[in-house]
Amino acid sequence: MELVTHKKMKAGRQMPWGKGTVVTGAKGYVFLAGNTGTAGNYDPSTGKGGSVGDAAAQWRSILMNIKSDLEELGSSLEHLIKITQYVKGPFPDGGALSSPNFRLDVMDEFFAEHCPKHCSYNNPPPSEVIGVAALAHPDLVIEIVAVAALPD
């Protein structure tokens, strides 16, 4: 299997997300459900139970969940194709990137440790950052969806 992520350039500067990933020879794909930073006692049917407190802690929890889920399903961070980040407001400057809940620094720290090729300053997979008014639980500030290839 081969994954080639093409860099996104603007005015000669590399952007912190990839243009696209071309996958050849994969035996399949893993489409993960949205991951959130809820605590173990969270019950989605009632909305009761705690969730992880601050944005940075939620990001770390989610990224570790994604890593574990991919490994459990036969893939890994190395085989990430695309990620979508849903970030809860506020949006002081009008865009999702201005939210204090958008933590690219935490994502880069995680990938530097677990999969350096996906750091925003290296050659990350394509991604979207979408600003939202609310997520499944009022204490949640980030939800991440990931797609990865299954190696042959």
Side-chain angles (χ1 to χ4, degrees), residues 42 47-49 51 58 88 133-141:
Y42 174 63
K48 295 188 177 173
S51 63
Q58 287 186 34
K88 183 177 174 184
L135 293 164
H137 188 283
D139 293 334
L140 297 175
V141 298

Side-chain angles (χ1 to χ4, degrees), residues 31-137:
F31 297 86
L32 293 181
N35 272 274
T36 59
T38 53
N41 67 342
Y42 174 63
D43 180 354
S45 66
T46 64
K48 295 188 177 173
S51 63
V52 178
D54 65 22
Q58 287 186 34
W59 277 82
R60 287 184 195 98
S61 173
I62 291 165
L63 292 167
M64 283 305 294
N65 288 343
I66 289 171
K67 179 180 183 299
S68 296
D69 290 348
L70 288 176
E71 290 169 356
E72 180 182 329
L73 297 171
S75 190
S76 70
L77 293 173
E78 287 284 322
H79 300 110
L80 268 177
I81 295 172
K82 182 176 183 274
I83 59 174
T84 302
Q85 304 151 66
Y86 298 91
V87 180
K88 183 177 174 184
F91 308 112
D93 295 330
L97 297 179
S98 72
S99 173
N101 298 319
F102 178 69
R103 297 299 305 269
L104 184 61
D105 60 324
V106 175
M107 193 159 72
D108 275 343
E109 177 185 292
F110 174 85
F111 281 114
E113 180 179 346
H114 298 283
C115 187
K117 79 176 192 174
H118 288 319
C119 290
S120 67
Y121 51 81
N122 197 352
N123 195 20
S127 65
E128 297 89 24
V129 178
I130 301 168
V132 298
L135 293 164
H137 188 283

Side-chain angles (χ1 to χ4, degrees), residues 4-8 17-23 81 123-127:
V4 178
T5 301
H6 296 268
K7 294 179 181 180
K8 179 75 171 184
W17 58 85
K19 178 186 287 192
T21 301
V22 176
V23 181
I81 295 172
N123 195 20
S127 65

